[in-house]
Amino acid sequence: MQQTLPVEDYAQREELEGVEREVLERRLEEGLLATLIGRAIFPRYAFPTDVVGFWVSRLKRRGDPAYKRIFDYDPQRDLQIALSEYAPGASLTIDKWRFSSAALFSPYVPDVNLILDRAKSYTACNACGYVSLQEAAVDAASCPCCANTELSRKDFIIPQGFASDINEKREADKGQAPDFAGRASRAQLEVQEPPEVWDFELYDGRLAVIAGPRNLVTVNKGVGDRGFIVCPNCGRSEAVFGTGYPNSIMFKGGVPRQHFNPLEQGVMCDGRAIGPYFFGHTFLTDVMLLRVRVEEPVVCAITTTAERSGRPGQVALTSFVEALCLAASNTLQIEEGELSGNWCPVMGSDGRDVHVFLYDLLPGGAGYTKMVRENLESVLDETERLLSGCTCESSCYSCIRHYSNNFLHSSLDRKLAYSLLRHLRGGAIPELSIQESKTSLAPLADLLRLQGFQTQQEQVRDNVTVPLIISRPSGEEVWVQAHHPLVNELAIESPFREAAEAAFVEFCSLDSFMLRHDLPNAFGKLHI
Ligand SMILES: [Zn+2]
Ligand SMILES: [Zn+2]
Ligand SMILES: [Zn+2]
């Protein structure tokens, strides 16, 4: 233990001053804990390893040691959560006081430059969800998964802690909800070449499974994905709110300005903010990776192209992942919130494959993903039950909504996820019922009537009941059908299309997702 701890330095601590002494004392306290865990005197799981503090300094009083900062509060959080709750600009309540986070700070690493020097590059594709921290990815001209050429690149730093501004007057909490300056994403898997060998395949290869430790990334991109700027002198940081933002402390009219050092009482700082940066976290944990492979005519596009919107595929996958986590909690008695998941694109699969993954939220992993892998069939049975056994339109608290996925509620659609899962397990090709088709075309028919078009629903033409008929002013008709958003409508037979072709009538097939969520676009597709 003597070798791993700074014991000898500590014996001479009286000769050290200020920050150096403070750091040494803290290192010893920390090192002692790490050593005790390392020697298995304390169990590892009892001490989360990726924890950071929110440091609230106390104003100096007479008799305080000159070299040492004293903190009134230093709540700690797992970095994944701290990235949202403690990020600069966020406010939180501690002991009836409301504090705003103002700086990157840790008494263990008092020089913020050490944190900034360790910045990594973060490359992401907003079209398909590709993410990489590899330096080589920075130079890529386009996304290796979907070929989109608009990649977003920012420097990515891993905060060691956050602090409030000692110079700010304390405010009593009035029961406000906490504020956030950007939210940390669900963890993302760094996209690499897909595994060559899987643990096992199911359902004619439509699902493949592999479990093991993998590196995940969570990131807070700030407000509007603009990142955070940081003063390298004092650690003060703020979200970039866009040009001319009047409440900026570090800029006025685009010009850097003096600001209070948030850690020193009454001291101004001339430092110039740099950045913007994303704040993030990478961690190794147990991951169960599922390869999802749909077969023609089913599509699960996640990238929007000229032909097809990726939104239904994204919503289906997001809903599937949420249901899968809940189902795993239900069947395996895993506490809610200890298992999470996400999906990501696959390199070199031409959009045919998507990866879905579940991960342990407990630091270091608690073996839950292995349990899911071993009981996958029963977890998938429960997932089907959750997705199909509700009466709501898209999602509700009785099926796949819960408090901790509230930021996803608008992206949850149990029926889409159910269609996807039924296809994966049994090869079923999703289709709309007559009622669903009618309901999805109704708002379009209303809009057309408002625009002065004559419309008829469910009228018989040439022995088929056409879902929607629009009459142009010239008297010509356009026949319209609604199709399932996870199906390539050109790859399946449609009695309406065939009848329309035979009668030389214009025909248009619209997907029910667009009809529901983007009526103007659906209207535009009619070209009338
Ligand atoms: Zn992409
Ligand atoms: Zn500064
Ligand atoms: Zn429901």
Side-chain angles (χ1 to χ4, degrees):
M1 262 188 224
Q2 287 235 342
Q3 285 155 10
T4 51
L5 295 174
V7 177
E8 281 180 19
D9 292 346
Y10 187 72
Q12 270 134 63
R13 67 187 182 282
E14 296 298 334
E15 287 155 37
L16 296 172
E17 277 185 21
V19 170
E20 266 183 78
R21 175 165 172 186
E22 188 183 347
V23 170
L24 177 67
E25 289 185 8
R26 289 193 189 275
R27 257 185 66 208
L28 189 79
E29 289 161 20
E30 274 286 281
L32 182 62
L33 183 60
T35 306
L36 292 173
I37 295 171
R39 304 282 152 105
I41 298 166
F42 290 166
R44 181 172 300 276
Y45 287 135
F47 298 93
T49 45
D50 294 309
V51 161
V52 299
F54 179 74
W55 302 87
V56 178
S57 304
R58 196 192 77 192
L59 292 172
K60 282 257 154 66
R61 291 180 193 155
R62 208 191 301 185
D64 283 349
Y67 74 91
K68 198 163 185 169
R69 285 199 181 93
I70 296 179
F71 301 102
D72 270 345
Y73 308 102
D74 60 339
Q76 313 247 312
R77 273 292 206 184
D78 189 274
L79 183 51
Q80 277 192 77
I81 299 163
L83 282 176
S84 300
E85 293 189 355
Y86 297 170
S91 65
L92 60 153
T93 298
I94 310 168
D95 191 19
K96 304 201 177 71
W97 297 103
R98 192 167 169 88
F99 296 100
S100 289
S101 173
L104 286 186
F105 170 77
S106 162
Y108 309 115
V109 194
D111 182 358
V112 74
N113 285 295
L114 293 176
I115 312 292
L116 299 177
D117 286 348
R118 277 186 240 144
K120 297 165 186 274
S121 61
Y122 176 92
T123 309
C125 170
N126 291 334
C128 74
Y130 162 80
V131 168
S132 178
L133 297 180
Q134 308 296 316
E135 287 301 327
V138 179
D139 302 321
S142 61
C143 169
C145 295
C146 76
N148 167 28
T149 50
E150 285 165 36
L151 293 176
S152 88
R153 298 178 174 98
K154 279 236 166 39
D155 277 344
F156 168 98
I157 54 179
I158 303 173
Q160 301 292 304
F162 302 91
S164 60
D165 184 353
I166 192 172
N167 300 294
E168 205 164 89
K169 211 171 147 261
R170 285 195 184 177
E171 259 183 63
D173 176 64
K174 299 186 200 80
Q176 306 100 309
D179 283 340
F180 292 100
R183 297 294 282 261
S185 61
R186 275 269 200 275
Q188 294 162 302
L189 190 65
E190 260 201 90
V191 176
Q192 285 158 352
E193 294 289 331
E196 281 176 16
V197 184
W198 294 76
D199 291 351
F200 57 89
E201 291 196 3
L202 288 169
Y203 318 129
D204 298 327
R206 287 187 296 271
L207 267 190
V209 183
I210 191 167
R214 273 163 211 277
N215 255 320
L216 299 181
V217 182
T218 41
V219 54
N220 183 345
K221 298 181 182 176
V223 178
D225 289 359
R226 285 185 291 260
F228 297 85
I229 46 171
V230 181
C231 172
N233 282 15
C234 69
R236 183 180 280 282
S237 173
E238 63 187 29
V240 180
F241 280 91
T243 42
Y245 177 68
N247 294 342
S248 171
I249 291 174
M250 291 194 276
F251 277 91
K252 191 173 188 180
V255 181
R257 64 167 160 179
Q258 263 202 338
H259 46 261
F260 273 116
N261 180 327
L263 277 308
E264 303 290 346
Q265 214 168 311
V267 175
M268 295 301 279
C269 169
D270 291 324
R272 279 175 163 235
I274 54 171
Y277 296 98
F278 286 159
F279 292 158
H281 174 38
T282 63
F283 56 102
L284 188 71
T285 191
D286 283 340
V287 171
M288 182 188 75
L289 192 62
L290 288 175
R291 185 195 66 208
V292 166
R293 176 173 285 175
V294 294
E295 286 167 358
E296 273 270 296
V298 178
V299 280
C300 190
I302 51 172
T303 309
T304 299
T305 59
E307 297 83 48
R308 181 167 287 281
S309 160
R311 193 69 192 136
Q314 296 180 356
V315 167
L317 288 163
T318 302
S319 313
F320 173 50
V321 171
E322 292 305 307
L324 199 57
C325 291
L326 269 178
S329 306
N330 292 354
T331 34
L332 305 172
Q333 270 85 50
I334 297 167
E335 235 176 274
E336 218 175 90
E338 298 202 336
L339 197 64
S340 190
N342 206 342
W343 51 266
C344 62
V346 178
M347 248 185 229
S349 81
D350 294 329
R352 195 162 79 113
D353 295 353
V354 182
H355 285 166
V356 158
F357 58 93
L358 297 192
Y359 59 94
D360 276 357
L361 273 174
L362 289 188
Y368 293 143
T369 53
K370 287 208 178 71
M371 283 165 66
V372 178
R373 193 192 76 136
E374 277 152 29
N375 298 278
L376 190 59
E377 290 276 1
S378 53
V379 172
L380 290 175
D381 287 345
E382 172 67 4
T383 311
E384 272 200 51
R385 196 195 61 78
L386 277 174
L387 292 170
S388 62
C390 198
T391 51
C392 67
E393 193 45 49
S394 50
S395 69
C396 71
Y397 282 94
S398 308
C399 54
I400 55 173
R401 288 188 178 192
H402 48 85
Y403 172 72
S404 48
N405 66 13
N406 61 356
F407 62 102
L408 291 174
H409 285 178
S410 62
S411 302
L412 295 180
D413 185 325
R414 65 180 181 86
K415 291 177 186 167
L416 272 186
Y418 183 58
S419 301
L420 174 65
L421 183 55
R422 292 237 311 144
H423 172 69
L424 294 175
R425 296 189 88 187
I429 294 163
E431 54 181 22
L432 300 180
S433 68
I434 293 174
Q435 188 53 47
E436 283 170 331
S437 156
K438 205 170 160 182
T439 319
S440 36
L441 286 168
L444 180 68
D446 290 345
L447 178 67
L448 285 160
R449 276 193 289 276
L450 276 173
Q451 305 265 348
F453 289 94
Q454 282 206 343
T455 65
Q456 304 171 72
Q457 280 193 269
E458 317 270 316
Q459 289 294 305
V460 178
R461 292 282 189 281
D462 301 336
N463 296 324
V464 294
T465 309
V466 181
L468 176 67
I469 297 171
I470 308 164
S471 303
R472 292 180 184 272
S474 59
E476 284 169 331
E477 292 187 344
V478 182
W479 296 359
V480 183
Q481 76 166 11
H483 66 261
H484 196 283
L486 298 183
V487 162
N488 173 6
E489 72 282 9
L490 296 173
I492 46 165
E493 288 183 4
S494 158
F496 314 119
R497 189 193 312 112
E498 278 161 31
E501 277 168 8
F504 299 102
V505 172
E506 236 182 280
F507 175 77
C508 184
S509 189
L510 297 168
D511 86 65
S512 58
F513 191 90
M514 187 193 284
L515 284 164
R516 183 146 160 228
H517 299 277
D518 191 1
L519 200 52
N521 199 3
F523 183 81
K525 295 255 173 198
L526 293 171
H527 299 295
I528 52 172

